[in-house]
Protein backbone atom coordinates (compact mmCIF):
# COMPACT_ATOMS: atom_id res chain seq x y z
CA UNK A 1 0.00 0.00 0.00
CA UNK A 2 1.21 3.45 -0.86
CA UNK A 3 -0.69 6.74 -0.64
CA UNK A 4 1.01 7.93 -3.81
CA UNK A 5 -1.30 5.54 -5.69
CA UNK A 6 -4.20 7.73 -4.58
CA UNK A 7 -2.48 10.90 -5.76
CA UNK A 8 -1.64 9.30 -9.09
CA UNK A 9 -5.31 8.45 -9.62
CA UNK A 10 -6.35 11.97 -8.60
CA UNK A 11 -3.78 13.36 -11.05
CA UNK A 12 -5.17 11.23 -13.89
CA UNK A 13 -8.71 12.31 -13.06
CA UNK A 14 -7.69 15.98 -12.93
CA UNK A 15 -5.95 15.74 -16.31
CA UNK A 16 -9.00 14.01 -17.79
CA UNK A 17 -11.23 16.84 -16.57
CA UNK A 18 -8.76 19.52 -17.70
CA UNK A 19 -8.88 18.11 -21.23
CA UNK A 20 -12.68 17.79 -21.24
CA UNK A 21 -15.68 20.02 -21.61
CA UNK A 22 -17.60 19.62 -18.30
CA UNK A 23 -21.36 19.82 -18.89
CA UNK A 24 -22.87 17.91 -15.93
CA UNK A 25 -25.66 20.23 -14.77
CA UNK A 26 -25.17 19.48 -11.07
CA UNK A 27 -21.47 20.32 -10.87
CA UNK A 28 -19.30 23.41 -10.75
CA UNK A 29 -15.78 24.48 -9.88
CA UNK A 30 -14.78 26.24 -6.69
CA UNK A 31 -12.37 29.15 -6.61
CA UNK A 32 -8.92 28.92 -5.02
CA UNK A 33 -10.21 31.03 -2.14
CA UNK A 34 -12.95 28.46 -1.45
CA UNK A 35 -10.50 25.56 -1.79
CA UNK A 36 -8.18 27.29 0.66
CA UNK A 37 -10.91 26.75 3.26
CA UNK A 38 -11.14 22.99 2.61
CA UNK A 39 -7.61 22.36 3.81
CA UNK A 40 -7.86 24.53 6.90
CA UNK A 41 -8.02 23.22 10.48
CA UNK A 42 -11.79 23.74 10.40
CA UNK A 43 -11.99 20.34 8.68
CA UNK A 44 -10.74 18.61 11.82
CA UNK A 45 -13.25 20.10 14.28
CA UNK A 46 -16.67 19.51 15.74
CA UNK A 47 -19.35 22.14 16.33
CA UNK A 48 -22.62 20.43 17.15
CA UNK A 49 -25.45 22.72 18.12
CA UNK A 50 -26.19 26.33 17.24
CA UNK A 51 -23.98 29.41 17.21
CA UNK A 52 -23.24 30.32 20.83
CA UNK A 53 -24.88 27.09 22.09
CA UNK A 54 -22.32 24.41 21.24
CA UNK A 55 -21.71 21.06 22.87
CA UNK A 56 -17.93 21.42 22.49
CA UNK A 57 -15.38 24.02 23.50
CA UNK A 58 -13.01 25.62 21.01
CA UNK A 59 -15.79 26.90 18.74
CA UNK A 60 -15.49 30.70 19.08
CA UNK A 61 -14.04 31.24 15.58
CA UNK A 62 -16.27 28.58 14.06
CA UNK A 63 -19.20 30.54 15.52
CA UNK A 64 -17.96 33.69 13.78
CA UNK A 65 -17.93 31.82 10.47
CA UNK A 66 -21.36 30.26 10.95
CA UNK A 67 -22.81 33.63 11.96
CA UNK A 68 -21.42 35.12 8.75
CA UNK A 69 -22.87 32.21 6.76
CA UNK A 70 -26.32 32.81 8.29
CA UNK A 71 -26.24 36.57 7.69
CA UNK A 72 -25.05 36.31 4.09
CA UNK A 73 -27.58 33.57 3.28
CA UNK A 74 -30.50 35.61 4.62
CA UNK A 75 -29.26 38.66 2.73
CA UNK A 76 -28.77 36.84 -0.60
CA UNK A 77 -32.16 35.12 -0.60
CA UNK A 78 -34.08 37.85 1.26
CA UNK A 79 -35.07 35.18 3.80
CA UNK A 80 -36.36 35.57 7.34
CA UNK A 81 -34.58 32.43 8.53
CA UNK A 82 -31.60 30.36 7.39
CA UNK A 83 -30.02 27.08 8.40
CA UNK A 84 -26.63 26.38 6.84
CA UNK A 85 -25.87 23.03 8.47
CA UNK A 86 -27.23 20.38 6.05
CA UNK A 87 -24.31 18.61 4.43
CA UNK A 88 -26.15 17.80 1.19
CA UNK A 89 -29.32 18.55 -0.72
CA UNK A 90 -31.00 15.28 0.23
CA UNK A 91 -30.24 15.93 3.92
CA UNK A 92 -31.80 19.39 3.58
CA UNK A 93 -34.90 17.87 1.99
CA UNK A 94 -35.22 15.18 4.66
CA UNK A 95 -34.95 17.86 7.36
CA UNK A 96 -37.60 19.99 5.65
CA UNK A 97 -39.94 16.98 5.39
CA UNK A 98 -39.43 16.19 9.08
CA UNK A 99 -40.13 19.83 9.99
CA UNK A 100 -43.29 20.23 7.94
CA UNK A 101 -44.96 16.84 7.59
CA UNK A 102 -46.05 13.82 9.60
CA UNK A 103 -45.84 10.14 8.72
CA UNK A 104 -48.74 9.22 6.42
CA UNK A 105 -49.18 12.74 4.98
CA UNK A 106 -49.49 13.20 1.24
CA UNK A 107 -47.22 15.51 -0.73
CA UNK A 108 -47.33 16.54 -4.38
CA UNK A 109 -44.07 16.55 -6.30
CA UNK A 110 -42.76 16.35 -9.85
CA UNK A 111 -42.08 12.80 -11.06
CA UNK A 112 -38.50 11.82 -11.86
CA UNK A 113 -39.11 11.52 -15.67
CA UNK A 114 -40.63 15.02 -15.60
CA UNK A 115 -37.49 16.30 -13.86
CA UNK A 116 -38.19 15.78 -10.17
CA UNK A 117 -35.39 14.72 -7.84
CA UNK A 118 -35.40 11.23 -6.33
CA UNK A 119 -35.56 12.73 -2.83
CA UNK A 120 -39.02 14.13 -3.67
CA UNK A 121 -40.28 10.59 -4.11
CA UNK A 122 -40.95 7.43 -2.10
CA UNK A 123 -37.71 5.80 -3.26
CA UNK A 124 -35.72 8.37 -1.23
CA UNK A 125 -36.30 11.10 1.38
CA UNK A 126 -40.08 11.33 1.02
CA UNK A 127 -40.34 7.56 1.47
CA UNK A 128 -38.04 7.62 4.50
CA UNK A 129 -40.39 10.11 6.10
CA UNK A 130 -43.34 7.77 5.37
CA UNK A 131 -45.04 10.18 2.98
CA UNK A 132 -47.47 9.33 0.20
CA UNK A 133 -46.53 10.98 -3.07
CA UNK A 134 -48.88 12.19 -5.79
CA UNK A 135 -47.20 13.53 -8.92
CA UNK A 136 -48.24 16.78 -10.53
CA UNK A 137 -49.92 16.47 -13.90
CA UNK A 138 -47.32 17.72 -16.35
CA UNK A 139 -47.47 19.61 -19.63
CA UNK A 140 -44.74 17.86 -21.64
CA UNK A 141 -44.63 20.46 -24.36
CA UNK A 142 -44.27 23.36 -21.89
CA UNK A 143 -41.94 21.19 -19.74
CA UNK A 144 -43.83 22.46 -16.70
CA UNK A 145 -46.56 21.69 -14.18
CA UNK A 146 -50.16 21.82 -15.43
CA UNK A 147 -51.67 24.19 -12.87
CA UNK A 148 -55.37 23.71 -13.68
CA UNK A 149 -55.18 19.92 -13.46
CA UNK A 150 -53.05 20.25 -10.30
CA UNK A 151 -55.80 22.29 -8.61
CA UNK A 152 -58.37 19.55 -9.35
CA UNK A 153 -56.15 16.72 -8.06
CA UNK A 154 -55.04 18.71 -5.01
CA UNK A 155 -58.67 19.26 -3.94
CA UNK A 156 -59.09 15.47 -3.98
CA UNK A 157 -55.83 14.25 -2.38
CA UNK A 158 -55.39 17.29 -0.08
CA UNK A 159 -51.60 17.24 0.18
CA UNK A 160 -49.95 18.64 3.30
CA UNK A 161 -47.06 19.93 1.20
CA UNK A 162 -46.42 20.95 -2.40
CA UNK A 163 -42.81 20.30 -3.44
CA UNK A 164 -41.52 22.35 -6.35
CA UNK A 165 -38.09 22.48 -7.99
CA UNK A 166 -36.44 19.87 -10.21
CA UNK A 167 -33.23 18.31 -11.42
CA UNK A 168 -34.28 18.79 -15.01
CA UNK A 169 -35.50 22.38 -14.83
CA UNK A 170 -35.76 24.56 -17.90
CA UNK A 171 -38.36 27.13 -16.87
CA UNK A 172 -39.67 29.06 -13.89
CA UNK A 173 -42.26 27.01 -12.02
CA UNK A 174 -45.74 28.30 -11.02
CA UNK A 175 -44.97 29.13 -7.39
CA UNK A 176 -47.62 31.88 -7.05
CA UNK A 177 -50.32 29.66 -8.53
CA UNK A 178 -49.39 26.71 -6.33
CA UNK A 179 -49.36 29.07 -3.31
CA UNK A 180 -53.00 29.95 -4.06
CA UNK A 181 -53.98 26.28 -4.24
CA UNK A 182 -52.03 25.60 -1.03
CA UNK A 183 -53.85 28.42 0.76
CA UNK A 184 -57.19 26.99 -0.33
CA UNK A 185 -56.47 23.59 1.24
CA UNK A 186 -54.14 24.66 4.07
CA UNK A 187 -50.86 23.22 2.74
CA UNK A 188 -47.21 24.29 2.78
CA UNK A 189 -45.09 25.06 -0.29
CA UNK A 190 -41.44 24.02 -0.50
CA UNK A 191 -39.09 24.67 -3.42
CA UNK A 192 -35.95 22.60 -3.89
CA UNK A 193 -33.72 25.15 -5.65
CA UNK A 194 -30.61 22.97 -5.75
CA UNK A 195 -30.09 23.40 -9.47
CA UNK A 196 -30.95 27.05 -9.72
CA UNK A 197 -29.63 28.39 -6.41
CA UNK A 198 -26.93 30.52 -8.06
CA UNK A 199 -29.42 31.86 -10.60
CA UNK A 200 -31.85 32.81 -7.81
CA UNK A 201 -28.97 34.44 -5.92
CA UNK A 202 -27.88 36.25 -9.09
CA UNK A 203 -31.46 37.48 -9.65
CA UNK A 204 -31.71 35.79 -13.04
CA UNK A 205 -34.43 33.35 -11.90
CA UNK A 206 -37.54 33.35 -9.71
CA UNK A 207 -36.96 33.74 -5.97
CA UNK A 208 -39.43 31.13 -4.64
CA UNK A 209 -39.63 32.75 -1.18
CA UNK A 210 -40.71 36.05 -2.70
CA UNK A 211 -43.34 34.22 -4.79
CA UNK A 212 -44.89 32.53 -1.78
CA UNK A 213 -42.89 29.41 -0.88
CA UNK A 214 -42.66 28.71 2.85
CA UNK A 215 -39.33 26.93 2.55
CA UNK A 216 -36.54 26.76 0.01
CA UNK A 217 -33.85 24.10 0.16
CA UNK A 218 -30.82 23.97 -2.09
CA UNK A 219 -27.43 22.41 -2.56
CA UNK A 220 -24.67 24.96 -2.85
CA UNK A 221 -22.45 23.58 -5.62
CA UNK A 222 -24.40 23.56 -8.89
CA UNK A 223 -25.07 27.09 -10.09
CA UNK A 224 -23.98 28.48 -6.70
CA UNK A 225 -20.20 28.79 -6.16
CA UNK A 226 -19.86 26.68 -3.04
CA UNK A 227 -18.45 23.37 -1.94
CA UNK A 228 -20.78 20.38 -1.72
CA UNK A 229 -23.27 21.09 1.08
CA UNK A 230 -26.75 22.68 1.36
CA UNK A 231 -28.94 25.34 2.96
CA UNK A 232 -32.55 25.73 4.07
CA UNK A 233 -34.17 29.15 4.09
CA UNK A 234 -37.71 29.76 5.29
CA UNK A 235 -40.31 31.95 6.87
CA UNK A 236 -39.60 32.77 10.51
CA UNK A 237 -42.58 30.74 11.75
CA UNK A 238 -40.86 27.49 10.63
CA UNK A 239 -37.44 28.40 12.04
CA UNK A 240 -37.57 26.35 15.23
CA UNK A 241 -38.99 23.23 13.57
CA UNK A 242 -36.39 23.36 10.80
CA UNK A 243 -33.48 23.95 13.15
CA UNK A 244 -34.53 21.00 15.31
CA UNK A 245 -35.03 18.75 12.30
CA UNK A 246 -31.48 19.56 11.14
CA UNK A 247 -29.83 19.24 14.56
CA UNK A 248 -30.22 16.89 16.32
CA UNK A 249 -32.47 15.41 13.61
CA UNK A 250 -30.35 14.60 10.59
CA UNK A 251 -26.97 16.27 11.19
CA UNK A 252 -24.57 16.09 14.12
CA UNK A 253 -21.36 17.80 13.06
CA UNK A 254 -21.54 19.68 9.79
CA UNK A 255 -18.15 19.73 8.01
CA UNK A 256 -16.78 23.09 9.06
CA UNK A 257 -14.14 23.40 6.34
CA UNK A 258 -16.83 23.43 3.66
CA UNK A 259 -18.89 25.80 5.84
CA UNK A 260 -16.01 28.29 5.64
CA UNK A 261 -15.80 27.62 1.89
CA UNK A 262 -19.52 28.32 1.61
CA UNK A 263 -19.03 31.75 3.24
CA UNK A 264 -16.37 32.66 0.67
CA UNK A 265 -18.67 31.38 -2.10
CA UNK A 266 -21.52 33.54 -0.76
CA UNK A 267 -19.20 36.57 -0.88
CA UNK A 268 -18.32 35.70 -4.49
CA UNK A 269 -22.02 35.41 -5.33
CA UNK A 270 -22.74 38.84 -3.85
CA UNK A 271 -19.87 40.38 -5.81
CA UNK A 272 -20.07 38.51 -9.14
CA UNK A 273 -23.30 36.48 -9.04
CA UNK A 274 -25.52 38.74 -11.12
CA UNK A 275 -23.10 38.94 -14.06
CA UNK A 276 -22.48 35.21 -13.84
CA UNK A 277 -26.14 34.19 -13.68
CA UNK A 278 -27.04 36.37 -16.68
CA UNK A 279 -24.20 34.86 -18.70
CA UNK A 280 -25.17 31.31 -17.74
CA UNK A 281 -28.71 31.78 -19.04
CA UNK A 282 -27.47 33.51 -22.21
CA UNK A 283 -25.06 30.62 -22.87
CA UNK A 284 -27.73 27.97 -22.31
CA UNK A 285 -30.16 29.70 -24.67
CA UNK A 286 -27.48 30.11 -27.33
CA UNK A 287 -26.37 26.49 -27.12
CA UNK A 288 -29.99 25.32 -27.34
CA UNK A 289 -30.57 27.45 -30.45
CA UNK A 290 -27.38 26.18 -32.10
CA UNK A 291 -28.32 22.54 -31.46
CA UNK A 292 -31.84 23.19 -32.69
CA UNK A 293 -30.48 24.76 -35.88
CA UNK A 294 -28.38 21.65 -36.41
CA UNK A 295 -31.60 19.62 -36.43
CA UNK A 296 -31.78 18.31 -32.85
CA UNK A 297 -35.02 17.94 -30.89
CA UNK A 298 -34.31 20.45 -28.14
CA UNK A 299 -37.01 20.61 -25.46
CA UNK A 300 -38.96 23.78 -24.76
CA UNK A 301 -38.85 25.05 -28.35
CA UNK A 302 -42.11 27.02 -28.02
CA UNK A 303 -40.88 28.73 -24.86
CA UNK A 304 -37.38 29.83 -25.82
CA UNK A 305 -35.74 26.47 -24.91
CA UNK A 306 -34.53 27.42 -21.43
CA UNK A 307 -34.45 30.02 -18.66
CA UNK A 308 -31.80 28.19 -16.63
CA UNK A 309 -28.33 26.66 -17.02
CA UNK A 310 -29.79 23.54 -18.64
CA UNK A 311 -30.56 22.37 -22.14
CA UNK A 312 -32.41 19.08 -22.71
CA UNK A 313 -32.24 17.20 -25.99
CA UNK A 314 -34.23 14.17 -27.13
CA UNK A 315 -31.63 11.91 -28.74
CA UNK A 316 -33.82 8.84 -29.24
CA UNK A 317 -33.14 9.05 -33.01
CA UNK A 318 -29.44 8.48 -32.25
CA UNK A 319 -29.75 5.38 -30.05
CA UNK A 320 -30.94 7.11 -26.85
CA UNK A 321 -29.29 8.94 -23.96
CA UNK A 322 -27.02 6.09 -22.83
CA UNK A 323 -25.38 5.61 -26.22
CA UNK A 324 -25.03 9.33 -26.92
CA UNK A 325 -23.62 10.21 -23.47
CA UNK A 326 -21.05 7.41 -23.76
CA UNK A 327 -19.98 8.54 -27.24
CA UNK A 328 -19.57 12.10 -26.02
CA UNK A 329 -17.54 10.91 -23.04
CA UNK A 330 -15.15 9.18 -25.46
CA UNK A 331 -14.23 12.52 -27.01
CA UNK A 332 -14.11 14.38 -23.70
CA UNK A 333 -17.55 15.98 -23.62
CA UNK A 334 -18.90 15.03 -20.19
CA UNK A 335 -22.66 15.13 -19.60
CA UNK A 336 -25.41 12.77 -18.48
CA UNK A 337 -28.24 10.76 -20.00
CA UNK A 338 -31.61 11.90 -18.71
CA UNK A 339 -35.19 10.71 -18.56
CA UNK A 340 -37.56 13.00 -20.42
CA UNK A 341 -41.20 13.63 -19.44
CA UNK A 342 -42.60 10.98 -21.82
CA UNK A 343 -40.16 8.24 -20.69
CA UNK A 344 -41.39 5.48 -18.39
CA UNK A 345 -39.37 5.39 -15.15
CA UNK A 346 -37.97 1.95 -16.03
CA UNK A 347 -36.15 3.49 -18.98
CA UNK A 348 -33.64 5.17 -16.68
CA UNK A 349 -30.79 2.94 -17.95
CA UNK A 350 -31.35 4.19 -21.48
CA UNK A 351 -33.63 7.22 -21.44
CA UNK A 352 -34.53 9.33 -24.47
CA UNK A 353 -32.55 12.35 -23.49
CA UNK A 354 -29.35 14.05 -22.55
CA UNK A 355 -29.09 16.98 -20.13
CA UNK A 356 -26.49 19.68 -20.72
CA UNK A 357 -25.45 22.24 -18.08
CA UNK A 358 -23.42 25.30 -19.03
CA UNK A 359 -22.77 26.66 -15.52
CA UNK A 360 -19.24 25.22 -15.20
CA UNK A 361 -18.00 26.27 -18.64
CA UNK A 362 -19.43 29.73 -17.95
CA UNK A 363 -17.39 29.87 -14.74
CA UNK A 364 -14.37 28.99 -16.87
CA UNK A 365 -15.07 32.07 -18.96
CA UNK A 366 -16.95 30.73 -21.99
CA UNK A 367 -19.52 33.03 -23.55
CA UNK A 368 -22.04 32.92 -26.38
CA UNK A 369 -19.23 32.96 -28.96
CA UNK A 370 -18.12 29.51 -27.79
CA UNK A 371 -21.59 27.94 -27.92
CA UNK A 372 -21.67 27.54 -31.72
CA UNK A 373 -18.40 25.62 -31.69
CA UNK A 374 -19.55 23.52 -28.74
CA UNK A 375 -22.75 22.57 -30.60
CA UNK A 376 -20.61 21.66 -33.62
CA UNK A 377 -18.37 19.38 -31.49
CA UNK A 378 -21.43 17.68 -29.98
CA UNK A 379 -22.97 17.23 -33.42
CA UNK A 380 -19.72 15.90 -34.95
CA UNK A 381 -19.66 13.22 -32.27
CA UNK A 382 -23.33 12.26 -32.16
CA UNK A 383 -23.54 11.96 -35.96
CA UNK A 384 -19.99 10.53 -36.17
CA UNK A 385 -18.83 13.03 -38.76
CA UNK A 386 -15.14 12.46 -37.93
CA UNK A 387 -13.04 9.89 -36.11
CA UNK A 388 -13.32 10.15 -32.32
CA UNK A 389 -9.52 10.55 -32.10
CA UNK A 390 -9.75 13.64 -34.29
CA UNK A 391 -12.68 15.07 -32.35
CA UNK A 392 -10.93 14.41 -29.02
CA UNK A 393 -8.00 16.58 -30.19
CA UNK A 394 -10.40 19.35 -31.21
CA UNK A 395 -12.15 19.15 -27.83
CA UNK A 396 -8.81 19.49 -26.04
CA UNK A 397 -7.84 22.43 -28.20
CA UNK A 398 -11.20 24.12 -27.63
CA UNK A 399 -10.85 23.73 -23.86
CA UNK A 400 -7.21 24.82 -23.65
CA UNK A 401 -7.73 28.62 -23.24
CA UNK A 402 -10.35 28.13 -20.50
CA UNK A 403 -8.29 27.27 -17.45
CA UNK A 404 -8.92 29.95 -14.84
CA UNK A 405 -11.93 30.30 -12.59
CA UNK A 406 -13.74 33.54 -13.36
CA UNK A 407 -16.31 35.43 -11.29
CA UNK A 408 -14.07 35.05 -8.24
CA UNK A 409 -11.65 37.09 -6.15
CA UNK A 410 -8.80 34.80 -7.23
CA UNK A 411 -7.54 37.11 -9.93
CA UNK A 412 -7.60 40.17 -7.68
CA UNK A 413 -5.85 38.74 -4.69
CA UNK A 414 -3.50 35.87 -4.09
CA UNK A 415 -4.80 33.20 -1.71
CA UNK A 416 -1.84 31.11 -0.77
CA UNK A 417 -2.52 27.62 0.43
CA UNK A 418 -1.49 27.28 4.06
CA UNK A 419 1.56 25.36 4.94
CA UNK A 420 0.19 21.95 5.96
CA UNK A 421 1.22 20.61 9.31
N1 LIG B 1 -29.12 13.95 -9.19
C1 LIG B 1 -28.38 15.19 -9.18
C2 LIG B 1 -28.45 15.85 -10.50
O1 LIG B 1 -29.36 16.59 -10.79
O2 LIG B 1 -27.53 15.63 -11.26
C3 LIG B 1 -28.80 16.08 -8.10
O3 LIG B 1 -28.66 15.44 -6.86
Amino acid sequence: MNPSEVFEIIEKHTKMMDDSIPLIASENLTSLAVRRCYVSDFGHRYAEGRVGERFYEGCKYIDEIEELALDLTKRIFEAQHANVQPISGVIANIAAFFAITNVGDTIMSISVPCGGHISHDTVSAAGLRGLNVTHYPFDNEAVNIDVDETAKIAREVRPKLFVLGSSLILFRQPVKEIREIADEIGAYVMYDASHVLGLVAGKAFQNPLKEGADVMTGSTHKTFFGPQRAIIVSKEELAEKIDRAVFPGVVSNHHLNTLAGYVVAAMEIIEFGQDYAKQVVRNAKKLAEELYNLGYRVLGEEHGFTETHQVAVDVSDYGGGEKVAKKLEEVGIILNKNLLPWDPIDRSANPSGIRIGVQEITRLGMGEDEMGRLAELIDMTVRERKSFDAIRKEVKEFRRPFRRIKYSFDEREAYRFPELR
Side-chain angles (χ1 to χ4, degrees):
M1 270 190 296
N2 185 340
S4 66
E5 278 174 47
V6 175
F7 295 106
E8 278 162 25
I9 295 170
I10 292 174
E11 190 52 41
K12 281 192 255 179
H13 170 82
T14 308
K15 169 130 186 48
M16 176 185 82
M17 294 311 295
D18 277 354
D19 290 341
S20 302
I21 305 170
L23 299 173
I24 301 276
S26 46
E27 299 177 351
N28 212 330
L29 292 162
T30 48
S31 66
L32 296 181
V34 169
R35 292 179 209 190
R36 161 83 170 71
C37 300
Y38 298 170
V39 293
S40 70
D41 185 66
F42 272 48
H44 307 134
R45 304 300 156 203
Y46 257 64
E48 286 180 2
R50 301 180 192 187
V51 174
E53 299 168 30
R54 303 292 189 187
F55 292 87
Y56 301 92
E57 304 314 315
C59 292
K60 66 179 176 184
Y61 299 114
I62 291 166
D63 276 1
E64 283 184 29
I65 291 288
E66 190 163 334
E67 191 67 56
L68 264 175
L70 291 168
D71 287 349
L72 294 179
T73 304
K74 283 190 274 188
R75 177 173 151 196
I76 291 169
F77 297 107
E78 300 175 57
Q80 293 169 357
H81 180 70
N83 188 302
V84 293
Q85 296 188 345
I87 55 170
S88 78
V90 172
I91 297 288
N93 287 343
I94 293 179
F97 290 154
F98 270 83
I100 299 172
T101 63
N102 292 305
V103 174
D105 283 346
T106 295
I107 64 168
M108 284 191 84
S109 68
I110 298 172
S111 73
V112 170
C114 295
H117 190 251
I118 48 171
S119 62
H120 308 163
D121 221 318
T122 48
V123 73
S124 174
L128 287 178
R129 179 53 171 152
L131 301 172
N132 303 309
V133 176
T134 298
H135 293 140
Y136 294 103
F138 206 73
D139 180 337
N140 292 354
E141 186 270 322
V143 204
N144 219 327
I145 292 164
D146 180 332
V147 174
D148 293 340
E149 288 303 309
T150 295
K152 289 183 200 154
I153 293 173
R155 283 179 199 123
E156 270 169 43
V157 302
R158 303 194 76 79
K160 175 83 175 289
L161 172 67
F162 291 90
V163 180
L164 295 165
S166 317
S167 293
L168 177 64
I169 179 162
L170 300 175
F171 301 111
R172 288 168 166 78
Q173 294 182 346
V175 182
K176 285 184 188 144
E177 292 81 350
I178 296 290
R179 173 79 265 162
E180 281 174 23
I181 303 170
D183 285 343
E184 191 188 316
I185 61 174
Y188 289 106
V189 178
M190 162 179 159
Y191 194 113
D192 179 347
S194 292
H195 267 274
V196 291
L197 200 69
L199 307 182
V200 176
K203 303 194 189 308
F205 199 70
Q206 66 188 155
N207 181 334
L209 290 181
K210 290 177 76 178
E211 294 186 13
D214 300 289
V215 184
M216 178 173 83
T217 58
S219 53
T220 52
H221 47 269
K222 297 178 168 73
T223 51
F224 204 88
F225 292 158
Q228 295 185 341
R229 51 187 296 127
I231 59 163
I232 305 176
V233 284
S234 70
K235 292 181 176 165
E236 188 60 39
E237 68 207 55
L238 289 171
E240 195 51 35
K241 282 185 175 169
I242 285 172
D243 287 351
R244 266 191 283 117
V246 174
F247 178 86
V250 292
V251 172
S252 67
N253 193 34
H254 66 103
H255 307 182
L256 306 161
N257 51 344
T258 58
L259 175 71
Y262 168 72
V263 173
V264 173
M267 290 172 172
E268 291 171 343
I269 283 281
I270 289 169
E271 187 84 8
F272 310 102
Q274 293 195 26
D275 289 343
Y276 171 72
K278 267 193 223 117
Q279 191 58 51
V280 166
V281 177
R282 282 200 291 254
N283 285 353
K285 272 185 183 293
K286 183 77 168 106
L287 180 61
E289 283 161 16
E290 295 284 351
L291 288 168
Y292 180 79
N293 292 337
L294 286 165
Y296 288 92
R297 292 176 58 198
V298 183
L299 273 67
E301 181 193 339
E302 298 293 318
H303 304 268
F305 299 114
T306 183
E307 295 173 337
T308 70
H309 58 306
Q310 297 185 5
V311 177
V313 187
D314 182 340
V315 289
S316 40
D317 291 347
Y318 305 94
E322 164 74 7
K323 187 168 174 197
V324 167
K326 281 275 180 284
K327 269 190 192 178
L328 290 164
E329 185 191 30
E330 269 193 61
V331 303
I333 298 174
I334 314 274
L335 46 68
N336 66 282
K337 61 186 172 191
N338 219 90
L339 287 166
L340 298 181
W342 42 88
D343 284 336
I345 186 87
D346 59 10
R347 268 204 74 180
S348 52
N350 186 21
S352 304
I354 53 171
R355 183 186 66 170
I356 307 174
V358 300
Q359 71 295 336
E360 186 169 339
I361 55 173
T362 306
R363 192 121 205 246
L364 284 165
M366 290 192 198
E368 286 126 299
D369 287 349
E370 278 72 39
M371 295 303 115
R373 176 68 177 143
L374 175 55
E376 215 172 80
L377 289 166
I378 292 172
D379 176 53
M380 248 183 235
T381 313
V382 174
R383 293 189 173 132
E384 300 185 20
R385 296 188 192 280
K386 286 189 187 173
S387 79
F388 283 5
D389 280 347
I391 304 173
R392 197 177 308 112
K393 282 191 195 118
E394 292 187 36
V395 163
K396 215 167 140 178
E397 207 47 44
F398 174 70
R399 171 67 204 272
R400 197 187 305 279
F402 300 98
R403 289 270 167 265
R404 305 290 293 272
I405 293 152
K406 308 288 181 195
Y407 307 97
S408 76
F409 298 109
D410 289 356
E411 288 181 357
R412 282 198 212 158
E413 294 172 48
Y415 290 95
R416 282 184 304 112
F417 278 73
E419 202 179 311
L420 297 175
R421 47 194 166 85

